[in-house]
Amino acid sequence: MRPTSEQVLMLVAQAMAFRSTCSRLNVGAVVAVDGRILSTGYNGAPAGLPHCDHKPTRILTELTAYPVEPDIACTTAMHAEANAIAFAAKHGVSVKGATLFTTHSPCQTCAYLLINSGIGEVVYREQYRDANPLSMLFEAKVNVIYQNDVKLLEEHMPW
């Protein structure tokens, strides 16, 4: 079965996630208009800076008295959405009214960026930590679509 252009754009976002340099979470994004790609991005350290390194850290807690691995947010990586918007801006490409395809729903900071850059629609595959940014996008009249076609990913991305 031939995939739709929206499905292909989500596959491209997934392919961009493979380029991620963050060892904690791999996220990819594609900005498109009328089914055509304007810009892409993935999460990782800003250009020229060292890549993220999230070696598991073990801490001893008073309550558990055994080692646990905390889920600490990355403070090194630029997010995929921000990198896609920054690349477009760097090359003078307007994203006003465009659709952003992303492997994970945006965080609050990226939602602010998407709203202020004029993105008209966000299509995401997986829910990231917090659903509040999605509510904010709705409130700002940005169309939000959940698209999780796992079977399509398995069929078209065999690696």
Side-chain angles (χ1 to χ4, degrees), residues 22-116:
C22 182
S23 59
R24 188 179 157 275
L25 179 67
N26 303 132
V27 181
V30 173
V31 178
V33 170
D34 295 331
R36 303 292 179 155
I37 297 172
L38 299 178
S39 182
T40 60
Y42 52 86
N43 63 322
L49 296 180
H51 296 315
C52 307
D53 187 10
H54 298 279
K55 293 180 181 147
T57 350
R58 292 183 136 340
I59 58 171
L60 216 58
T61 67
E62 291 177 22
L63 296 175
T64 59
Y66 61 87
V68 295
E69 294 190 16
D71 182 21
I72 300 171
C74 178
T75 57
T76 307
M78 291 272 308
H79 290 192
E81 305 94 326
N83 276 326
I85 300 296
F87 184 84
K90 183 177 179 179
H91 294 281
V93 177
S94 173
V95 298
K96 185 176 181 181
T99 300
L100 176 97
F101 292 83
T102 180
T103 57
H104 294 73
S105 62
C107 70
Q108 184 171 334
T109 303
C110 286
Y112 291 151
L113 178 64
L114 297 172
I115 292 165
N116 282 349

Side-chain angles (χ1 to χ4, degrees), residues 9-29:
L9 291 165
M10 186 58 79
L11 289 169
V12 173
Q14 179 59 57
M16 292 309 299
F18 292 132
R19 295 279 303 142
S20 170
T21 62
C22 182
S23 59
R24 188 179 157 275
L25 179 67
N26 303 132
V27 181

